[in-house]
Amino acid sequence: MTQFSFFPALSLRLTFKACAVACLIFGSFVIAPAQTAAPSAAGKQHAASLPRSIAARSANPGRYDPVADPKAVVRIGSVRFTVLTPQLIRMEWTADGKFEDHASFVFLNRHLPAPKFTVSSADGGNRHIIKTDALSLSYTVAQDSSGKFSADNLRVDFMLNGKQMSWRPGMEDKGNLMGTTRTLDGALGGKTREPIDPGLISRDGWVLVDDSSRPLFDSADFSFTQGEHSPWPWVMQRPAGDRQDWYFFGYGHDYKQALSDFTKVAGQIPLPPRFAFGTWWSRYWAYSDQEFEDLVRGFHDNDVPLDVLVIDMDWHLTFHQNWFSSENDQSGHRLGWSGYSWNKLLFPDPDAFLRKIRSEGLKTTLNLHPASGVQPWEDAYAEMARRMGIDPATKKYVPFDITNKKFAANYMDLLHHPLEKRGIDFWWLDWQQEANTKTAGVNPTWWLNYVHFSDQAREGKRPLLFHRWGGLGNHRYQIGFSGDTISVWDSLAFQPWFTATAANVGYAYWSHDIGGHMPGAVDPELYTRWIQFGTFSPILRTHTTKNPDSERRIWAYPEPYADIMRDQFHLRYALVPYIYTEARRTYDTGIAFLRPLYYDWPEAEQAYTAKNEYVFGDNMIVAPVTSPIEKASGLATEQIWLPSGEWIEWDTGRHFSGPAQLTRRFSIRETPVYVRAGAIVPMAPKMRYTNEKPVDPLILTVFPLSSGQKSFYTLYEDSGKGREYQTGKAAWTDIRATESNGQLTIAIAPPRKSFAGMPARRAYELRLPGDWPPQTVTVNGRPLALIAEENKAGWRYDGNTLTTILRTPQLAVSDVVTIRVSRNTELMARRGELDGFAGAMTRLRETYDSLNENWPLGWSPDELIDGMQSGDRLTYHPETAARELSHYHDVLPQAQNQVQAMTKGLTQEQMEKVAARVGQDWRSDVVKKKMGEYNERVGRAANEINDINAQSRSQATASAAQ
């Protein structure tokens, strides 16, 4: 059997290949007795058992039952089959006939509702057949055989796209869609130091997870209802002896169901705290407390939001170690790499410092490299040594032994909890050392993740951990630190695929070093593109190495990059209600909100080959720009595949019908984000940090619907306190949109359920991009007036994006809110004229800015300025929209012609006049340089405006066809 490893020390083996699913539907079923059954020749039918109450499960989150429902179990001699779902079967063989019912590191909860299946025998009773609605498993017992699974005695049949497929042990899974890897340390693009592990889904339709040698838990109760006094489930070894413990996933191309069922047996993907979706500042640098305070002030002074302050290893004693130092501590690791005691030179009063940071609304995490254990200079050394049976007077260090429960308890109680009480919110574990612990089969990365995460749960917190991937099962302990990547375009280009693919093992929250780690210095364009990707990634955390030339403060970059990155940070914060809702959906379903396209379009070949694209929540597809702009055009070219459906390019307002393969060009200000037509995206007002104030108004961006179309979205909110979200203390608000004959109706229902601190009243702000201005607007039947002010009840129009923005008064959330927006039906028939207008306004402004940099050699022609000002005039006078749009389409070709004429260059007479004006000979190097810059800018401007006009002509053709 081909062996793969999700993480070497965990001894996880997977076998794969294009197997098959015979969806054999049988007639009536009868209720079978609740007992392990041996098959009979006549066949036995097992009815599906009823699911246990959802309320009962939510009352004790974290409490699992590793013992399967007896109705789901079939035992045949020395083998045991457990039918967990119609597509998932556990297959065990043991030499001694003793089967394992403890939870393993991955599989915690085997007591699922038993699906219906039949058991029968053939070939004189030697061949036993288990049939579900999806799989047909055949196992043959040969005389004088141990019964151990092999290609000779075990087969599973299933259907894949109408064809019957068969799997046998030892087959290679050539279509595995891969999972993730421990770290991207030193990765150059896709050239990773450590291999990427197999995933739980495959184009071959099946995956086999070999759990035979993975360690076990001595308990499956992770509910921790007694707080820090709760029993702490711990590692235990499997019994000695030859055994096979396999899980066969035969889901065909139903990838979502496969991963959802995986989390039913392996535990849910936890919901991070809301603040985790804000901005994280991180840099490997020996900051003092004053420097951190200056840094935070810089965020505020430059209008950049921030939530998390990551403090790298120099917070503790490092003994002035440099990269070229070689001195080691008693453990044999580098001196100063581990530490738990504040560096009082840099932080004279850590408590006062942390109070200041907390007063700014920030959360703090500290970096840890715990491999050195506890050295004699640590503040907690004496007590730690005594508890571990070491005389402190000997100054002998306390070795790191994380699978020793006594050590782990003291490690948390003495080294971490005191720092948490002083203001540390969570930990950045940065394990880079050995791959083994003192317990066979237990990898330190995996186990550290469990210990730290579960310790926070025992403290009653909502756990959050920042560490590397440890292997299958670590989806329960997130967020992931992807490590020290190289700061080049190739690394950025690899990360969209890498991040999405991790969903194939349930790992939903990779955090990358935005900007790359080493050598650290990046040009403004690359950093801006990395920030744009970070905006639409699970975690937005900038980072770099200890290099004075490495800059990650966005306001330190030149314009326009600083403004673009600032806008991206604010967009990220605006999207937090959407992201948090989608993260809750991830917890509920087991399907990561950032995921590959093939989850939703599994039979489209392009869903597998468009590796730079991913789904971002149920309403968006993102395709980050990961290549530099072309010098001649000032635009970056990207190949975009859009699946079936109607899509709107957010930044430009362009509409596309899928499936479609597109060649698109993007300026530095644009991020390719494609939103479903009619999508409702909940957003937040401007914040300095995510919980600065209540989400009031609640912003609802509703993308254009076609006539007769309906759309729906449910907003999720909670208190953020502890694990309340797991027990139903939260609110779900249903929002519906309907378009009919020019009238858009938005209905906001009262929240289902509630939580402590939930606002009783709030205003709503509706944003309707890319559409004609309204004739009338009503809220619960009362009219809203056209106003100029931004923060008062009423409506206004942003002409540059053709967006109606309406604000309601404060309303009771317990009441239904109905908003109706009526537009001119004749104008609605001319919607095609609006397509791409927002993108054109951006490009025209960029063209204008570029040409004006040529002064005194040149300036923007009036026709260009006229076209660029179209949106501005619409803002002041939305009632002129029809006339203004017609004028815009007339003037745009004229502007193009004027800019094109400029590409012919200046005449000698013009050059002489310019040279005289600047006091230079027209043949001088200074003038020649200016002319070169002029030609470059004019050429770029011509490319941009030609791109706009080509789009405008295609839109006009489409509109005429309509």
Side-chain angles (χ1 to χ4, degrees):
M1 178 170 59
T2 305
Q3 178 172 312
F4 299 83
S5 175
F6 275 97
F7 197 83
L10 290 179
S11 300
L12 170 67
R13 301 182 187 88
L14 297 180
T15 40
F16 320 88
K17 182 161 183 193
C19 283
V21 186
C23 287
L24 302 173
I25 308 295
F26 290 85
S28 60
F29 285 82
V30 296
I31 297 177
Q35 63 184 15
T36 302
S40 68
K44 190 167 193 174
Q45 300 181 9
H46 296 249
S49 61
L50 295 174
R52 287 179 291 176
S53 163
I54 293 176
R57 291 201 300 268
S58 65
N60 294 293
R63 182 173 295 171
Y64 303 104
D65 187 350
V67 181
D69 185 336
K71 294 180 182 178
V73 176
V74 177
R75 181 167 178 176
I76 305 167
S78 58
V79 304
R80 181 172 71 169
F81 298 103
T82 305
V83 184
L84 296 167
T85 77
Q87 301 97 335
L88 175 58
I89 300 178
R90 185 188 188 193
M91 305 181 294
E92 299 171 89
W93 169 87
T94 64
D96 59 8
K98 297 178 180 178
F99 300 101
E100 186 55 67
D101 283 329
H102 284 90
S104 76
F105 273 17
V106 173
F107 298 100
L108 309 176
N109 187 53
R110 305 185 189 98
H111 199 118
L112 303 183
K116 61 181 181 180
F117 63 94
T118 63
V119 181
S120 61
S121 61
D123 299 338
N126 292 325
R127 185 160 65 91
H128 305 271
I129 303 166
I130 299 173
K131 290 186 177 182
T132 73
D133 288 347
L135 306 176
S136 177
L137 181 150
S138 173
Y139 173 69
T140 301
V141 180
Q143 291 184 348
D144 302 324
S145 168
S146 67
K148 191 173 185 177
F149 297 139
S150 70
D152 296 327
N153 64 11
L154 181 63
R155 188 182 79 192
V156 180
D157 297 328
F158 62 95
M159 300 298 292
L160 181 63
N161 293 338
K163 296 181 180 179
Q164 181 170 309
M165 309 294 288
S166 296
W167 167 86
R168 292 181 182 273
M171 291 175 64
E172 180 184 0
D173 180 5
K174 297 179 180 179
N176 192 271
L177 290 166
M178 308 309 293
T180 195
T181 189
R182 190 182 73 92
T183 181
L184 294 182
D185 281 343
L188 178 60
K191 298 176 182 177
T192 61
R193 289 180 178 175
E194 300 183 21
I196 295 178
D197 301 319
L200 293 165
I201 56 177
S202 171
R203 296 189 76 174
D204 289 350
W206 63 272
V207 165
L208 187 77
V209 177
D210 188 345
D211 205 40
S212 305
S213 59
R214 187 176 288 109
L216 308 171
F217 281 111
D218 59 11
S219 168
D221 185 358
F222 303 90
S223 59
F224 306 125
T225 55
Q226 300 173 50
E228 294 183 73
H229 300 291
S230 302
W232 200 359
W234 210 249
V235 61
M236 62 178 286
Q237 293 292 332
R238 285 182 181 262
D242 195 9
R243 69 189 65 252
Q244 293 169 311
D245 191 352
W246 297 349
Y247 290 78
F248 182 85
F249 289 73
Y251 286 81
H253 290 170
D254 192 350
Y255 304 137
K256 286 185 173 182
Q257 191 63 53
L259 291 161
S260 179
D261 286 351
F262 172 70
T263 58
K264 291 174 184 175
V265 294
Q268 290 171 289
I269 302 168
L271 176 63
R274 190 182 182 91
F275 72 78
F277 299 108
T279 303
W280 299 31
W281 170 267
S282 180
R283 186 186 183 193
Y284 178 34
W285 193 259
Y287 284 107
S288 69
D289 55 352
Q290 294 186 75
E291 289 175 296
F292 271 124
E293 291 166 16
D294 290 343
L295 177 69
V296 172
R297 191 176 303 113
F299 271 87
H300 296 333
D301 291 346
N302 289 280
D303 189 27
V304 181
L306 180 67
D307 261 273
V308 178
L309 197 62
V310 181
I311 306 180
D312 214 318
M313 60 180 287
D314 291 283
W315 72 271
H316 63 69
L317 298 172
T318 58
F319 303 97
H320 307 288
Q321 285 286 290
N322 295 302
W323 289 112
F324 48 81
S325 301
S326 59
E327 187 177 357
N328 291 333
D329 57 29
Q330 290 185 41
S331 72
H333 297 99
R334 283 183 56 190
L335 179 67
W337 205 246
S338 293
Y340 302 95
S341 306
W342 285 97
N343 182 338
K344 293 299 182 68
L345 280 175
L346 297 177
F347 301 91
D349 190 339
D351 294 328
F353 165 71
L354 291 172
R355 283 196 296 272
K356 284 185 181 179
I357 296 303
R358 188 166 290 274
S359 72
E360 298 285 357
L362 303 181
K363 308 297 182 183
T364 307
T365 181
L366 299 180
N367 175 275
L368 293 176
H369 301 92
S372 290
V374 186
Q375 298 292 326
W377 57 78
E378 301 289 359
D379 295 342
Y381 167 74
E383 182 60 25
M384 186 74 177
R386 278 191 288 269
R387 291 194 186 183
M388 295 307 297
I390 298 172
D391 182 357
T394 66
K395 299 296 182 182
K396 180 182 178 183
Y397 87 107
V398 180
F400 181 77
D401 188 8
I402 195 62
T403 56
N404 179 327
K405 196 171 188 177
K406 180 179 178 181
F407 173 88
N410 291 323
Y411 166 81
M412 300 309 303
D413 290 344
L414 298 177
L415 303 177
H416 297 82
H417 293 171
L419 289 166
E420 292 171 6
K421 290 174 182 176
R422 295 168 75 173
I424 301 305
D425 295 282
F426 63 101
W427 298 96
W428 173 17
L429 286 171
D430 197 1
W431 183 272
Q432 299 173 351
Q433 287 77 33
E434 295 79 14
N436 300 299
T437 62
K438 294 182 180 179
T439 301
V442 180
N443 177 271
T445 303
W446 200 103
W447 192 248
L448 274 165
N449 290 345
Y450 166 71
V451 168
H452 275 266
F453 202 88
S454 59
D455 177 74
Q456 292 179 68
R458 295 173 80 227
E459 292 180 293
K461 300 177 180 178
R462 184 181 297 190
L464 180 65
L465 178 68
F466 186 38
H467 195 199
R468 289 171 172 82
W469 158 260
L472 198 63
N474 262 193
H475 68 284
R476 300 189 296 265
Y477 321 121
Q478 303 195 51
I479 292 166
F481 165 52
S482 69
D484 303 342
T485 54
I486 299 174
S487 307
V488 292
W489 282 98
D490 284 348
S491 293
L492 170 58
F494 177 65
Q495 288 177 5
W497 177 87
F498 178 82
T499 309
T501 303
N504 296 346
V505 287
Y507 208 57
Y509 296 104
W510 269 124
S511 170
H512 299 294
D513 290 359
I514 298 299
H517 184 73
M518 54 191 179
V522 290
D523 68 72
E525 183 192 355
L526 174 55
Y527 191 38
T528 300
R529 292 303 192 190
W530 227 316
I531 291 288
Q532 290 169 344
F533 165 62
T535 300
F536 291 93
S537 64
I539 305 296
L540 175 53
R541 177 185 57 86
T542 60
H543 188 61
T544 187
T545 191
K546 190 178 280 188
N547 177 355
D549 295 328
S550 298
E551 181 59 78
R552 293 295 180 267
R553 296 171 302 164
I554 63 172
W555 58 89
Y557 281 80
E559 299 301 346
Y561 304 100
D563 276 350
I564 294 169
M565 290 188 279
R566 183 182 295 108
D567 289 345
Q568 286 294 304
F569 274 49
H570 283 297
L571 175 59
R572 172 69 178 202
Y573 274 71
L575 284 170
V576 165
Y578 174 75
I579 295 171
Y580 196 63
T581 297
E582 297 299 320
R584 171 69 201 213
R585 198 190 311 276
T586 297
Y587 168 75
D588 289 332
T589 65
I591 301 161
F593 69 85
L594 194 159
R595 58 184 181 267
L597 299 182
Y598 48 73
Y599 283 30
D600 297 88
W601 298 276
E603 304 310 327
E605 182 62 28
Q606 296 92 332
Y608 300 89
T609 57
K611 294 188 174 182
N612 194 53
E613 301 178 36
Y614 52 83
V615 173
F616 191 74
D618 279 3
N619 284 334
M620 299 181 194
I621 289 175
V622 181
V625 175
T626 58
S627 59
I629 62 172
E630 302 153 9
K631 188 175 181 180
S633 68
L635 304 172
T637 302
E638 295 287 330
Q639 299 299 317
I640 307 291
W641 177 74
L642 291 178
S644 58
E646 299 299 313
W647 301 92
I648 299 171
E649 197 171 67
W650 193 341
D651 280 347
T652 69
R654 285 289 309 273
H655 289 239
F656 298 96
S657 295
Q661 185 70 50
L662 310 171
T663 298
R664 299 288 293 143
R665 302 205 295 174
F666 302 95
S667 75
I668 189 63
R669 296 182 182 277
E670 295 170 332
T671 304
V673 177
Y674 297 89
V675 186
R676 292 181 186 274
I680 302 169
V681 179
M683 301 175 76
K686 191 174 181 180
M687 305 265 186
R688 290 201 313 170
Y689 54 92
T690 52
N691 293 317
E692 180 189 11
K693 54 192 175 185
V695 178
D696 187 8
L698 171 62
I699 299 169
L700 301 174
T701 298
V702 182
F703 290 83
L705 292 83
S706 58
S707 185
Q709 183 183 355
K710 298 179 180 179
S711 65
F712 175 83
Y713 194 81
T714 299
L715 171 71
Y716 172 78
E717 299 172 285
D718 63 35
S719 69
K721 295 178 182 178
R723 299 164 71 191
E724 288 184 355
Y725 78 95
Q726 295 178 311
T727 58
K729 295 179 181 178
W732 288 262
T733 301
D734 295 332
I735 306 157
R736 295 180 183 274
T738 305
E739 177 79 37
S740 179
N741 297 322
Q743 179 169 282
L744 175 68
T745 302
I746 306 293
I748 306 166
R752 289 180 279 115
K753 308 189 76 171
S754 64
F755 58 89
M758 190 175 81
R761 300 178 66 81
R762 68 172 16 144
Y764 299 91
E765 182 173 298
L766 193 61
R767 296 180 182 175
L768 309 175
D771 219 334
W772 296 104
Q775 290 181 316
T776 62
V777 177
T778 63
V779 177
N780 291 340
R782 296 183 177 182
L784 277 188
L786 172 64
I787 60 171
E789 296 86 352
E790 291 189 6
N791 297 315
K792 292 184 178 180
W795 72 270
R796 56 193 173 87
Y797 195 65
D798 176 50
N800 283 318
T801 59
L802 304 179
T803 299
T804 299
I805 304 169
L806 66 89
R807 172 80 72 94
T808 74
Q810 287 261 327
L811 301 167
V813 299
S814 58
D815 295 338
V816 174
V817 176
T818 303
I819 303 169
R820 289 190 170 88
V821 180
S822 297
R823 277 83 45 103
N824 184 300
T825 54
E826 292 182 2
L827 288 181
M828 293 297 283
R830 295 169 52 190
R831 256 183 170 177
E833 297 177 29
L834 310 179
D835 199 39
F837 182 85
M841 291 299 101
T842 300
R843 294 284 180 84
L844 288 172
R845 178 57 189 270
E846 290 172 340
T847 304
Y848 170 84
D849 290 340
S850 181
L851 291 177
N852 290 352
E853 289 177 5
N854 282 325
W855 182 259
L857 300 182
W859 192 255
S860 296
D862 287 351
E863 292 85 353
L864 171 62
I865 300 172
D866 187 0
M868 181 195 72
Q869 292 290 83
S870 298
D872 191 45
R873 294 190 293 268
L874 276 170
T875 298
Y876 294 121
H877 299 288
E879 72 279 4
T880 67
R883 183 172 68 252
E884 191 64 62
L885 264 293
S886 294
H887 175 71
Y888 159 75
H889 286 295
D890 289 340
V891 80
L892 184 60
Q894 299 172 33
Q896 180 195 22
N897 291 336
Q898 291 294 322
V899 174
Q900 193 66 39
M902 296 174 70
T903 63
K904 297 177 181 179
L906 300 178
T907 66
Q908 181 176 326
E909 181 182 357
Q910 291 171 316
M911 290 172 63
E912 289 176 352
K913 288 181 179 180
V914 170
R917 183 164 184 170
V918 297
Q920 296 282 340
D921 185 278
W922 71 276
R923 289 161 296 193
S924 69
D925 290 341
V926 173
V927 174
K928 288 180 180 178
K929 181 181 178 183
K930 286 286 184 184
M931 280 303 304
E933 292 172 348
Y934 171 88
N935 290 331
E936 183 179 312
R937 291 186 183 118
V938 170
R940 184 180 299 128
N943 270 293
E944 288 207 87
I945 200 167
N946 287 343
D947 195 49
I948 298 169
N949 206 28
Q951 294 178 27
S952 181
R953 286 195 300 269
S954 68
Q955 290 152 18
T957 301
S959 181
Q962 285 182 340

